[in-house]
Amino acid sequence: ELRDRSVYDNVDCLDKDMLFAFLEDTQPIEVAKLKAYHKELYQQRVIKRLTDQIKAKGVIEVMRKGIKDGYTDTHLDLLYDLPVSAINENRTRLYRKNIFSVMRQVGYSPKNKNSLDMGVFINGIPVITLELKNEFTKQNVEPAINQYTRDRDPKEELFQLGRLIVNFAVD
């Protein structure tokens, strides 16, 4: 699904609408429990826990194992793996509810208007970024590599170690 860049939150590094649409669609009982306990702070608590866990364990581990709310002992899955077989129809149904999306010109910094050419998201969580170059603009992969190595501030939240699976420079 193609998403508009305006929905990206560059402070929390999330497409929050997509994340909460996924959670509410796939785990309504857990979400209801969190909403009942945290009330209007429900989304804020989930985002804080998600961000803390990504910083501590990295996005791959968090996507694989999910997150747990310490106040309510509620577990949230952030990704459903492809089942080994089609025997478990519920797991297959949940796998099909994963939302893969792309976003063009992702404004990654709350400090300025810098942007990446493209971001790939799973259930609202960015996992891949791409700097795209082409021969029509007389650029090859070298300027894309330079953008990542020289122009991108590694202190920006999106570029913190473990926040993404991979950054691609492509021509």
Side-chain angles (χ1 to χ4, degrees), residues 28-165:
I29 295 168
E30 291 82 357
V31 167
K33 188 175 177 182
L34 291 169
K35 284 181 176 180
Y37 185 84
H38 294 298
K39 308 218 181 307
E40 67 276 353
L41 297 178
Y42 146 70
Q43 288 190 358
Q44 183 181 339
R45 296 283 187 187
V46 170
I47 291 167
K48 172 92 169 91
R49 184 65 179 160
L50 175 58
T51 300
D52 289 348
Q53 288 298 290
I54 288 173
K55 285 180 181 181
K57 299 177 181 178
V59 72
I60 294 172
E61 183 78 4
V62 173
M63 295 289 283
R64 287 180 58 228
K65 294 192 176 171
I67 58 174
K68 188 174 184 177
D69 178 66
Y71 297 100
T72 62
D73 203 35
T74 303
H75 178 84
L76 292 173
D77 289 310
L78 300 169
L79 171 74
Y80 290 102
D81 292 332
L82 176 64
V84 178
S85 74
I87 294 172
N88 187 335
E89 291 178 17
N90 187 49
R91 291 300 293 182
T92 300
R93 182 185 62 77
L94 288 170
Y95 168 74
R96 289 187 179 137
K97 289 190 178 258
N98 286 318
I99 308 166
F100 293 85
S101 60
V102 295
M103 192 177 295
R104 292 281 314 195
Q105 296 308 128
V106 179
Y108 63 85
S109 178
K111 301 174 198 164
N112 54 51
K113 294 188 185 282
N114 290 354
S115 65
L116 292 155
D117 289 337
M118 183 174 285
V120 178
F121 296 71
I122 300 175
N123 302 324
I125 301 169
V127 291
I128 300 169
T129 66
L130 299 105
E131 284 296 349
L132 306 171
K133 304 301 172 201
N134 66 62
E135 61 187 49
F136 299 115
T137 60
K138 303 201 184 315
Q139 291 184 317
N140 60 21
V141 74
E142 293 303 319
I145 293 170
N146 285 336
Q147 281 182 290
Y148 278 122
T149 59
R150 294 193 179 104
D151 297 343
R152 304 294 178 236
D153 183 353
K155 294 178 185 163
E156 292 282 356
E157 186 62 34
L158 187 62
F159 299 122
Q160 293 292 306
L161 185 64
R163 176 55 87 166
L164 296 163
I165 294 174

Side-chain angles (χ1 to χ4, degrees), residues 4-35:
D4 188 87
R5 67 185 182 164
S6 66
V7 300
Y8 181 69
D9 179 333
N10 59 16
V11 174
D12 292 318
C13 301
L14 294 169
D15 178 343
K16 292 178 185 177
D17 295 341
M18 189 72 67
L19 172 65
F20 288 102
F22 168 77
L23 293 175
E24 290 171 12
D25 184 38
T26 60
Q27 299 157 85
I29 295 168
E30 291 82 357
V31 167
K33 188 175 177 182
L34 291 169
K35 284 181 176 180

